[in-house]
Amino acid sequence: MAGAHHPVPPRNDDPGWAVRRSTEQEYPEFAAVFSEAIGLPVEKLLHEERDFPSAEYDRALVALDGERIIGTTMAYSLTLTVPGGPRRAAGITAVGVWPTYRRRGVLSALMRRQLADIRERGEKLAVLWSSEGTIYGRFGYGPAVRQFEASVQLAHAALRPGAPRDPALTVDLTEPGSVRGELEELHRRAASARNGHILRKPGWWGWLLHDEERDRRGAGPLRAAVVRGPDGAEGYALYRVLHKWEDRLPTGEVRVRETVAATARARVALYDHLFSRDLASSAHLDNLAEDDILTVLLADPRRLARRDFDSLWVRLVDLPGALAERSYATTLDTVLEVTDRFAPWNAGRWRLRAGGGEARAEAAADAAPDLTLDASHLGAVYLGGGSLTAFVDAGLAVEHAPGAAARLDTALHVPRAPLCTTDF
């Protein structure tokens, strides 16, 4: 699929490109366009798609120039944990535009059609992991989950003396497939206690635990460390060990994909295990919540080198519906004036009222607004992280009633930072 040289006219957000549903039969061409857009070998995408059994080809869209595919996007049917319980969500993936068609409105056409399709399916939320921070805000998505990856030198990884340790707990190191049922149940329990998790379907577990040499980046096979107590499994860690030596000294790395624990004592047992592997000098941990207890467990927290990043972005596709099915920490009665360029059915004034375990958002065209903001701002705070007050302070949202943003922030608050450990 060699790309012709096309002149690039000024940016045009008018969705004049033809967009239609794709088919499984044309997935190789779909994958070729997407792989070129993101700079990955198409063979890798085709191989991964064979391993991934949950592809929903009926939710794939393509943009066309004549008969040629020039843009792609796809959605998965997901279940997302939000304040108030698990909710349906569309998981956006495989977004790409052929390089010589960039800035010509192709992505805008795809996004408009996709949002309309999601709304028609009755899904109130769309979510994605963004490859770039500048793209999806203009389509109404907001960065709703911030988390971090960290590294620590094991010589400085001692936990506080008062960390809860229970001699009744045991740690079993094994091949993940042999304990898959326990892993699935523990992840479900963790998801119910923290917003932002994707409830993993069986096919997703098969893909996540798939372990081939090409996945290891020089490290050993994937292992599961399962913490068990008298009443069963309480936590697990998925990790690999990279064995290496420098100047005749061991400098191995413990590479941790995820840690899940139902109790504090189980998480302490996991960290004790991970930080005591022989012939390793450092541990590298992915996908930790902003408030992961490791940040307060280390005897010397300065030794934890962390890199924060945004993971899950949230988009309110049906704004009144999404606001109504979320729970709130306090009673609330406020009028929001919302701008939404790519889902115009959301634009306008909405009166949001919450109390007594219920919430509803109703059109309020004649009411004076307390707060003017964009749909992307609501997406950024929907899971209980972030701050509308920050958008006001930055001049990106406008507060008409003093304290309106702070009151809404308080109502949206949840005690634990959201976390998403399932990339898609």
Short mmCIF file of all heavy atoms in Angstrom, two decimals, residues 9 55 76 79 88 94 106 122 135 182 198 211 215 217 230 261 264 267 299 301 343 349 355 362 367 382 387 398:
data_model
loop_
_atom_site.label_atom_id
_atom_site.label_comp_id
_atom_site.label_asym_id
_atom_site.label_seq_id
_atom_site.Cartn_x
_atom_site.Cartn_y
_atom_site.Cartn_z
N PRO A 9 -3.73 20.53 1.90
CA PRO A 9 -4.37 21.84 2.00
C PRO A 9 -4.49 22.26 3.45
O PRO A 9 -4.19 21.48 4.37
CB PRO A 9 -5.76 21.58 1.39
CG PRO A 9 -6.02 20.13 1.68
CD PRO A 9 -4.68 19.46 1.61
N ALA A 55 -11.83 -9.07 19.12
CA ALA A 55 -12.00 -8.03 18.12
C ALA A 55 -13.45 -7.98 17.66
O ALA A 55 -14.07 -9.00 17.37
CB ALA A 55 -11.07 -8.29 16.93
N TYR A 76 -14.25 -1.38 21.18
CA TYR A 76 -14.60 -2.59 21.92
C TYR A 76 -15.79 -2.29 22.82
O TYR A 76 -15.94 -1.16 23.32
CB TYR A 76 -13.43 -3.05 22.79
CG TYR A 76 -12.19 -3.47 22.04
CD1 TYR A 76 -10.98 -2.82 22.27
CD2 TYR A 76 -12.22 -4.51 21.11
CE1 TYR A 76 -9.83 -3.21 21.59
CE2 TYR A 76 -11.08 -4.89 20.43
CZ TYR A 76 -9.89 -4.24 20.68
OH TYR A 76 -8.76 -4.62 20.00
N THR A 79 -16.86 -2.91 29.89
CA THR A 79 -17.52 -2.54 31.14
C THR A 79 -16.48 -1.84 32.00
O THR A 79 -15.40 -2.38 32.26
CB THR A 79 -18.07 -3.78 31.87
OG1 THR A 79 -19.01 -4.44 31.01
CG2 THR A 79 -18.79 -3.35 33.15
N ARG A 88 -21.47 0.29 31.06
CA ARG A 88 -21.05 0.02 29.69
C ARG A 88 -20.24 1.20 29.16
O ARG A 88 -20.52 2.36 29.48
CB ARG A 88 -22.26 -0.19 28.79
CG ARG A 88 -23.07 -1.43 29.08
CD ARG A 88 -24.36 -1.39 28.25
NE ARG A 88 -24.08 -1.32 26.82
CZ ARG A 88 -24.96 -0.88 25.91
NH1 ARG A 88 -26.15 -0.45 26.29
NH2 ARG A 88 -24.65 -0.87 24.64
N ALA A 94 -7.29 1.59 17.62
CA ALA A 94 -6.93 1.51 16.20
C ALA A 94 -7.26 2.78 15.43
O ALA A 94 -7.72 2.74 14.29
CB ALA A 94 -7.61 0.29 15.54
N VAL A 106 -9.92 14.05 8.02
CA VAL A 106 -10.23 12.61 8.02
C VAL A 106 -10.56 12.14 9.44
O VAL A 106 -11.57 11.45 9.66
CB VAL A 106 -9.06 11.80 7.43
CG1 VAL A 106 -9.35 10.30 7.52
CG2 VAL A 106 -8.80 12.21 5.99
N GLY A 122 -26.53 3.07 22.61
CA GLY A 122 -26.96 3.27 23.99
C GLY A 122 -25.84 3.32 25.00
O GLY A 122 -26.08 3.29 26.21
N ILE A 135 -4.27 15.26 20.87
CA ILE A 135 -5.26 14.90 19.84
C ILE A 135 -6.69 14.91 20.36
O ILE A 135 -7.58 15.57 19.79
CB ILE A 135 -4.94 13.51 19.25
CG1 ILE A 135 -3.59 13.52 18.55
CG2 ILE A 135 -6.04 13.07 18.28
CD1 ILE A 135 -3.17 12.17 18.02
N GLU A 182 -7.88 -17.72 39.95
CA GLU A 182 -7.64 -16.86 41.11
C GLU A 182 -7.29 -15.44 40.67
O GLU A 182 -7.74 -14.46 41.29
CB GLU A 182 -6.51 -17.45 41.96
CG GLU A 182 -6.89 -18.72 42.70
CD GLU A 182 -5.73 -19.29 43.49
OE1 GLU A 182 -4.68 -19.58 42.88
OE2 GLU A 182 -5.88 -19.43 44.71
N ILE A 198 -11.12 -1.69 33.75
CA ILE A 198 -11.88 -2.41 32.73
C ILE A 198 -12.11 -3.82 33.24
O ILE A 198 -11.15 -4.50 33.62
CB ILE A 198 -11.10 -2.46 31.40
CG1 ILE A 198 -10.74 -1.05 30.89
CG2 ILE A 198 -11.90 -3.23 30.35
CD1 ILE A 198 -11.91 -0.18 30.57
N ASP A 211 2.36 -15.63 26.52
CA ASP A 211 3.77 -15.43 26.86
C ASP A 211 4.65 -16.10 25.82
O ASP A 211 4.82 -17.32 25.84
CB ASP A 211 4.04 -15.98 28.27
CG ASP A 211 5.45 -15.66 28.75
OD1 ASP A 211 5.98 -14.61 28.35
OD2 ASP A 211 5.99 -16.45 29.54
N ASP A 215 7.60 -11.35 23.51
CA ASP A 215 7.02 -10.46 24.51
C ASP A 215 7.99 -10.12 25.64
O ASP A 215 7.70 -9.23 26.45
CB ASP A 215 5.79 -11.12 25.15
CG ASP A 215 4.74 -11.49 24.12
OD1 ASP A 215 4.46 -10.66 23.23
OD2 ASP A 215 4.20 -12.62 24.21
N ARG A 217 11.41 -9.16 25.84
CA ARG A 217 12.46 -8.13 25.78
C ARG A 217 13.70 -8.54 26.58
O ARG A 217 14.25 -7.77 27.37
CB ARG A 217 11.93 -6.79 26.28
CG ARG A 217 10.88 -6.17 25.37
CD ARG A 217 10.40 -4.85 25.93
NE ARG A 217 9.75 -5.02 27.22
CZ ARG A 217 9.60 -4.04 28.10
NH1 ARG A 217 10.05 -2.84 27.85
NH2 ARG A 217 8.99 -4.28 29.25
N PRO A 230 -5.49 -18.00 55.07
CA PRO A 230 -6.36 -19.12 55.48
C PRO A 230 -7.65 -19.22 54.69
O PRO A 230 -8.20 -20.31 54.53
CB PRO A 230 -6.63 -18.82 56.96
CG PRO A 230 -5.47 -17.97 57.40
CD PRO A 230 -5.12 -17.15 56.22
N ALA A 261 -4.10 -6.50 45.00
CA ALA A 261 -4.23 -7.04 46.35
C ALA A 261 -5.56 -6.61 46.95
O ALA A 261 -5.98 -5.46 46.79
CB ALA A 261 -3.08 -6.58 47.24
N ALA A 264 -4.19 -4.89 52.66
CA ALA A 264 -2.89 -4.23 52.81
C ALA A 264 -1.80 -5.25 53.12
O ALA A 264 -0.68 -5.16 52.60
CB ALA A 264 -2.97 -3.18 53.92
N ARG A 267 -0.59 -6.87 49.95
CA ARG A 267 0.27 -6.02 49.14
C ARG A 267 1.67 -5.91 49.75
O ARG A 267 2.67 -5.92 49.03
CB ARG A 267 -0.37 -4.64 48.95
CG ARG A 267 0.35 -3.77 47.93
CD ARG A 267 -0.45 -2.55 47.56
NE ARG A 267 -1.58 -2.87 46.71
CZ ARG A 267 -1.53 -2.95 45.37
NH1 ARG A 267 -0.39 -2.74 44.75
NH2 ARG A 267 -2.60 -3.22 44.67
N ALA A 299 10.48 2.85 53.54
CA ALA A 299 11.12 3.53 54.66
C ALA A 299 11.73 4.85 54.21
O ALA A 299 11.73 5.83 54.96
CB ALA A 299 12.18 2.62 55.27
N PRO A 301 10.89 7.12 51.12
CA PRO A 301 10.09 7.32 49.89
C PRO A 301 10.86 8.03 48.78
O PRO A 301 10.49 7.89 47.61
CB PRO A 301 8.92 8.18 50.39
CG PRO A 301 8.84 7.94 51.86
CD PRO A 301 10.27 7.74 52.29
N ALA A 343 -20.25 16.39 19.60
CA ALA A 343 -21.50 15.71 19.98
C ALA A 343 -22.50 16.81 20.33
O ALA A 343 -22.77 17.07 21.50
CB ALA A 343 -21.27 14.76 21.15
N ARG A 349 -27.45 23.97 28.21
CA ARG A 349 -27.48 24.09 29.66
C ARG A 349 -28.22 22.91 30.28
O ARG A 349 -29.29 22.52 29.81
CB ARG A 349 -28.14 25.41 30.07
CG ARG A 349 -27.34 26.62 29.62
CD ARG A 349 -27.98 27.93 30.05
NE ARG A 349 -27.22 29.06 29.49
CZ ARG A 349 -27.56 30.33 29.62
NH1 ARG A 349 -28.67 30.66 30.30
NH2 ARG A 349 -26.82 31.27 29.09
N GLY A 355 -28.83 13.68 45.12
CA GLY A 355 -29.16 13.57 46.53
C GLY A 355 -29.99 12.33 46.79
O GLY A 355 -30.69 11.84 45.89
N GLU A 362 -31.14 17.42 33.60
CA GLU A 362 -32.24 17.80 32.71
C GLU A 362 -31.90 19.09 31.98
O GLU A 362 -31.19 19.96 32.51
CB GLU A 362 -33.52 17.99 33.52
CG GLU A 362 -33.96 16.74 34.26
CD GLU A 362 -35.11 16.99 35.23
OE1 GLU A 362 -35.12 18.06 35.88
OE2 GLU A 362 -35.99 16.12 35.32
N ALA A 367 -32.30 28.60 32.38
CA ALA A 367 -31.68 28.81 33.69
C ALA A 367 -30.32 29.50 33.55
O ALA A 367 -29.61 29.31 32.57
CB ALA A 367 -31.51 27.48 34.41
N TYR A 382 -14.76 12.78 35.60
CA TYR A 382 -15.90 11.89 35.76
C TYR A 382 -15.63 10.74 36.72
O TYR A 382 -16.51 10.29 37.46
CB TYR A 382 -16.33 11.34 34.40
CG TYR A 382 -17.60 10.51 34.46
CD1 TYR A 382 -18.84 11.13 34.53
CD2 TYR A 382 -17.56 9.13 34.43
CE1 TYR A 382 -20.02 10.39 34.57
CE2 TYR A 382 -18.72 8.38 34.48
CZ TYR A 382 -19.95 9.02 34.55
OH TYR A 382 -21.11 8.28 34.61
N SER A 387 -9.63 18.03 38.73
CA SER A 387 -10.23 19.17 39.43
C SER A 387 -10.82 20.14 38.43
O SER A 387 -10.11 20.65 37.55
CB SER A 387 -9.17 19.88 40.28
OG SER A 387 -9.58 21.15 40.68
N VAL A 398 -15.43 28.73 33.01
CA VAL A 398 -15.84 30.01 33.58
C VAL A 398 -16.84 29.76 34.70
O VAL A 398 -17.86 29.08 34.49
CB VAL A 398 -16.47 30.93 32.51
CG1 VAL A 398 -16.93 32.25 33.15
CG2 VAL A 398 -15.47 31.20 31.39
#
